[in-house]
Amino acid sequence: MALKAGIVGLPNVGKSTLFNCLSSAKAQAANFPFCTIDAQMGQVSVPDERLTKLAELVHPGRIVPATCDIVDIAGLVKGASQGEGLGNQFLGNIRECDAIIHVLRCFDNDNIVHVDGSVDPVRDKEIIDTELQLKDLETVESRIHRVEKQARVGGDKQAKVELDVLEAYKTALEQGRSARSVEFDTEEAQSAARNLFLLTTKPVLYVCNVDDTAAANGNAYVEAVRKAIEGEDAALLVISAQTEADIAELDSYEEKQMFLEDLGLKESGCDRLIKAIYSLLGLQTFITAGEMEVKAWTFRRGWKAPQCAGVIHTDFEKGFIRAEVIKYDDYIKYGSEAAVREAGKMGVEGKEYVVQDGDIMHFRFNV
């Protein structure tokens, strides 16, 4: 399952520094607007200590973690919805992403220019929110113009559902609310909403970029952002991008852990960020474990066994017979698949089984 999260924000808030920490790609990081002209992509592994522990028991040829694509998108400025700055390119890049990582500057530093002259993360958030909402409003109004006659004169039922969805979105956007704040009860309306591909329906993770002194507990800027997003369907994470860059330069795992402990942190901000993206998108992983490889596979929370089988190969889903399931804790406790079987702890599940995060799966199928 290919997933993509886009890092967005005003110029000079730390987007490219954070991107460089997350991926092996090296976006240019400099102290002036539009340093990042093209969207740059890097692939990051999803941290999962369960894979390492299973590998210690299975001794596979390789470990294959789940991955997520991270895109560093050029900085946006006021007026982007009308094409200002790199507006059209910026908005097009966001449209291609599954989730938005919105980086907000929450630190003071006189040596780093702010495009609007002062540090105010709530104002910065509202600038980008407004530009995305204006672009969505333009899309919605254009679509209303096209379907209104079909719905009201032609009697097209599908067009009527779409028109109702569009008008609900139009009302919200005109009130300064994002489209994701609107909920629909019926499957028909939900389907029509998904097909519009609006920018503000995408899940958002606000990343408050702080200095190292606030990496563990945040600061007044972070609290202001937290208050501003109350009631909004979004998540918040506190990270010091510069600290993450310093950690990335250390060679050994032990050195990195000592650095984190000195800051009062248990794990790096990058690891917390990637996990937060997965949670935001409602994603989980099941695992296959054998001599060839221990591998994590991504699926959406609530998927049943045949759907998860299809993540490996479409033939697995088409010819699904059953799934043999071992709970991760049982595998660790008994030490091998054979021992789990002998203890009677292997489940044999059918088409209605809802796969759980960390399930170790083996699919039986016939095509």
Side-chain angles (χ1 to χ4, degrees):
M1 182 185 294
L3 299 163
K4 187 186 294 185
I7 301 179
V8 306
L10 295 180
N12 288 356
V13 296
K15 302 184 309 300
S16 294
T17 301
L18 183 60
F19 173 80
N20 288 343
C21 299
L22 285 166
S23 76
S24 57
K26 293 296 180 184
Q28 184 187 6
N31 182 22
F32 57 91
F34 306 127
C35 166
T36 306
I37 301 299
D38 299 316
Q40 302 189 57
M41 185 184 296
Q43 190 173 79
V44 298
S45 298
V46 179
D48 194 337
E49 56 277 2
R50 295 173 300 191
L51 301 181
T52 304
K53 292 185 180 298
L54 285 170
E56 290 172 356
L57 299 174
V58 178
H59 305 294
R62 60 178 181 168
I63 300 174
V64 184
T67 60
C68 179
D69 290 335
I70 304 293
V71 186
D72 180 26
I73 299 173
L76 175 146
V77 294
K78 191 179 294 185
S81 60
Q82 304 300 317
E84 290 295 323
L86 299 170
N88 291 331
Q89 180 177 330
F90 175 98
L91 297 168
N93 291 144
I94 293 177
R95 203 176 297 280
E96 296 172 359
C97 294
D98 299 293
I100 297 172
I101 304 168
H102 187 162
V103 181
L104 296 167
R105 177 171 169 176
C106 294
F107 65 90
D108 293 307
N109 188 328
D110 293 338
N111 295 320
I112 300 179
V113 176
H114 191 290
V115 70
D116 283 323
S118 62
V119 177
D120 185 342
V122 174
R123 176 203 59 206
D124 296 352
K125 168 195 174 301
E126 290 172 351
I127 287 173
I128 288 189
D129 283 351
T130 298
E131 295 304 324
L132 298 184
Q133 289 163 7
L134 287 172
K135 194 65 179 179
D136 277 351
L137 185 58
E138 177 187 310
T139 300
V140 165
E141 289 177 336
S142 175
R143 188 67 186 167
I144 287 175
H145 182 71
R146 277 186 281 174
V147 303
E148 194 168 22
K149 187 174 181 180
Q150 291 175 277
R152 292 182 175 162
V153 180
D156 186 322
K157 290 183 179 180
Q158 187 173 344
K160 177 65 169 64
V161 171
E162 184 176 346
L163 182 61
D164 289 344
V165 168
L166 288 165
E167 289 180 336
Y169 277 150
K170 184 173 186 289
T171 298
L173 292 164
E174 286 177 337
Q175 293 173 348
R177 294 187 290 122
S178 294
R180 63 179 173 276
S181 68
V182 182
E183 296 182 356
F184 301 101
D185 296 331
T186 68
E187 176 56 38
E188 292 82 359
Q190 291 168 3
S191 177
R194 285 193 296 270
N195 290 335
L196 293 172
F197 300 105
L198 298 182
L199 299 171
T200 62
T201 56
K202 297 180 184 298
V204 175
L205 171 65
Y206 290 104
V207 174
C208 293
N209 183 19
V210 300
D211 58 28
D212 59 355
T213 62
N217 300 310
N219 56 26
Y221 291 132
V222 173
E223 292 311 307
V225 174
R226 200 184 303 279
K227 184 175 181 180
I229 67 172
E230 284 179 357
E232 186 177 336
D233 186 16
L236 182 145
L237 193 68
V238 178
I239 286 181
S240 170
Q242 186 55 56
T243 298
E244 295 299 313
D246 294 339
I247 292 172
E249 295 296 323
L250 299 175
D251 294 326
S252 71
Y253 174 80
E254 289 74 17
E255 285 180 303
K256 293 179 180 181
Q257 288 304 116
M258 288 177 62
F259 195 119
L260 289 170
E261 287 173 10
D262 287 343
L263 294 173
L265 300 171
K266 293 183 179 180
E267 61 181 337
S268 75
C270 289
D271 284 358
R272 288 185 287 118
L273 174 58
I274 298 166
K275 290 178 180 178
I277 293 169
Y278 253 55
S279 176
L280 188 69
L281 290 170
L283 302 176
Q284 296 179 325
T285 56
F286 69 87
I287 302 168
T288 53
E291 291 183 1
M292 182 177 295
E293 64 183 17
V294 168
K295 183 169 182 175
W297 303 84
T298 301
F299 69 99
R300 296 200 180 277
R301 188 183 297 115
W303 276 14
K304 295 180 179 179
Q307 290 173 287
C308 289
V311 173
I312 297 177
H313 197 287
T314 54
D315 285 348
F316 284 27
E317 182 173 8
K318 290 176 184 176
F320 179 88
I321 299 173
R322 65 179 183 274
E324 296 174 350
V325 184
I326 302 174
K327 296 301 179 183
Y328 170 78
D329 287 343
D330 286 337
Y331 205 115
I332 297 301
K333 177 180 177 180
Y334 293 100
S336 70
E337 182 177 321
V340 170
R341 286 180 185 272
E342 188 174 339
K345 292 293 185 178
M346 177 178 283
V348 179
E349 306 291 351
K351 293 182 178 180
E352 295 305 309
Y353 176 70
V354 178
V355 177
Q356 303 299 305
D357 185 53
D359 278 356
I360 299 162
M361 309 286 292
H362 183 71
F363 298 105
R364 299 292 184 182
F365 70 102
N366 183 29
V367 178

